[in-house]
Amino acid sequence: MARTPTAWTRSWRRPTKSSSKLDFADTRRLHTLFGSHDLNVKTIETALDVSVALTDSGISITGDEPARDLAGRVLTELYALVGPGASLGPDDVTRAIDILSHNSKANLREVLQAPVFVASDRTSISPKTVNQRSYVEAINRHDVVFAIGPAGTGKTYLAMAMACAALVKGQYERIILTRPAVEAGEKLGFLPGDLAEKVNPYLRPLYDALYTLVGTDKAGQMVERGTVEVAPLAFMRGRTLNKAVVILDEAQNTSREQMKMFLTRLGFDSKAIITGDITQIDLPEGRMSGLNDARKVLSEIADIAFVYFDERDVVRHPLVKRIIGAYEQANGGEQEGGDSSD
């Protein structure tokens, strides 16, 4: 008859957690790394199911080997980033975990610290995820770039930051911001006022981003001089756009014809950046989105780049990422909106 294993034998067979140590000598960096009330370290402990403790020479990490190794990599990379005057919060730690858990060879300094633009409040605008870094590189290398993904992933904001930076460097003479005038699931009715007042509500998100980047006064001056133009997509017909960065926002709400019209406006020494979320299509049911159509028609053209974002790239409130994931799960990966053709 087989013997029943003793409690000691069962315990001996159970995987045990072990510890590893990281030697960090700079106490100021360690203080920044741990964060206020140790929130940064607590974020790592919760996410990876490890324990992190301060030692005489650095940090001790206890946990299962894969989680312990990832925690060590995250802490090592973040420790290298937190120089004098640098700040680090739980959101930064969460992004670092996301990046390194999907690409163990990623260099956080390359991904997170190369600035794109310095905003009016002296805030440095930099990519915060691997996909955002790929997006910035695609804009630098290609004259036509499509950015496709959910809300809050920085598609439009990074595009405008890149455009402002290029304008400051003298690479382009103007920035043109445009989007289709389509209601987001609501019937707004007949809007009062002149033409500018009628289309202004549709363009307000573009103005908001511009004001954040360069300040309200400077943005107003740029618009008055024509250095920055904000206009509905219908105003692009018949034009040739030279020496400009042209950003088409909310491209999922263009028709096939509008998308073709927009792309063929591109003139010499110009760049087009097209952003959209194919899960938020507000076109009439049965009408194909110009963004979805472009994915099919233009995917084989080597000089056109497509960059895709997902919920891991969301840089808004932490709940936004979870909300997007919940809706995707509820929909079984199917796209929402009026486009039933893709």
Side-chain angles (χ1 to χ4, degrees), residues 150-311:
T153 51
K155 304 181 300 294
T156 304
Y157 193 71
L158 272 177
M160 294 186 65
M162 293 286 288
C164 289
L167 191 70
V168 170
K169 294 175 184 176
Q171 297 172 340
Y172 300 93
E173 294 181 354
R174 55 184 173 150
I175 299 171
I176 299 174
L177 312 172
T178 185
R179 65 189 314 196
V182 176
E183 295 104 333
E186 301 179 55
K187 296 300 181 183
L188 300 181
F190 182 82
L191 294 172
D194 58 21
L195 184 59
E197 291 171 326
K198 291 178 190 296
V199 301
N200 188 64
Y202 298 104
L203 304 174
R204 176 51 53 185
L206 297 176
Y207 280 111
D208 290 342
L210 182 63
Y211 294 157
T212 300
L213 287 168
V214 301
T216 305
D217 292 341
K218 187 172 182 180
Q221 294 172 3
M222 295 170 77
V223 171
E224 285 183 8
R225 293 197 301 263
T227 306
V228 172
E229 177 183 347
V230 186
L233 181 59
F235 287 20
M236 298 296 108
R237 187 174 298 278
R239 301 178 63 181
T240 301
L241 307 174
N242 295 315
K243 297 182 179 180
V245 181
V246 192
I247 300 173
L248 170 59
D249 191 35
E250 297 289 332
Q252 76 275 6
N253 288 328
T254 61
S255 65
R256 294 178 178 180
E257 296 76 16
Q258 286 177 318
M259 179 62 74
K260 179 182 177 182
M261 179 272 291
F262 171 79
L263 292 172
T264 53
R265 299 307 92 204
L266 201 63
F268 292 106
D269 300 319
S270 289
K271 184 184 295 288
I273 306 171
I274 302 96
T275 71
D277 177 2
I278 56 176
T279 70
Q280 298 292 330
I281 297 172
D282 300 308
L283 295 171
E285 187 174 353
R287 190 175 185 185
M288 174 172 267
S289 162
L291 181 59
N292 275 330
D293 186 55
R295 288 197 299 162
K296 298 176 180 178
V297 175
L298 306 176
S299 61
E300 301 300 320
I301 299 180
D303 291 335
I304 296 178
F306 287 83
V307 181
Y308 292 89
F309 297 86
D310 56 37
E311 70 274 8

Side-chain angles (χ1 to χ4, degrees), residues 92-144:
D92 301 308
V93 174
T94 299
R95 281 192 289 270
I97 294 172
D98 285 342
I99 292 169
L100 293 174
S101 62
H102 291 91
N103 182 3
S104 61
K105 297 181 179 179
N107 185 313
L108 290 186
R109 185 180 297 276
E110 292 180 358
V111 174
L112 302 176
Q113 280 209 323
V116 168
F117 184 72
V118 178
S120 58
D121 61 357
R122 310 311 299 169
T123 301
S124 179
I125 310 301
S126 303
K128 297 184 182 299
T129 69
V130 172
N131 286 333
Q132 286 190 359
R133 168 53 56 189
S134 299
Y135 182 36
V136 168
E137 292 174 351
I139 293 174
N140 282 328
R141 296 174 181 173
H142 299 273
D143 285 337
V144 177

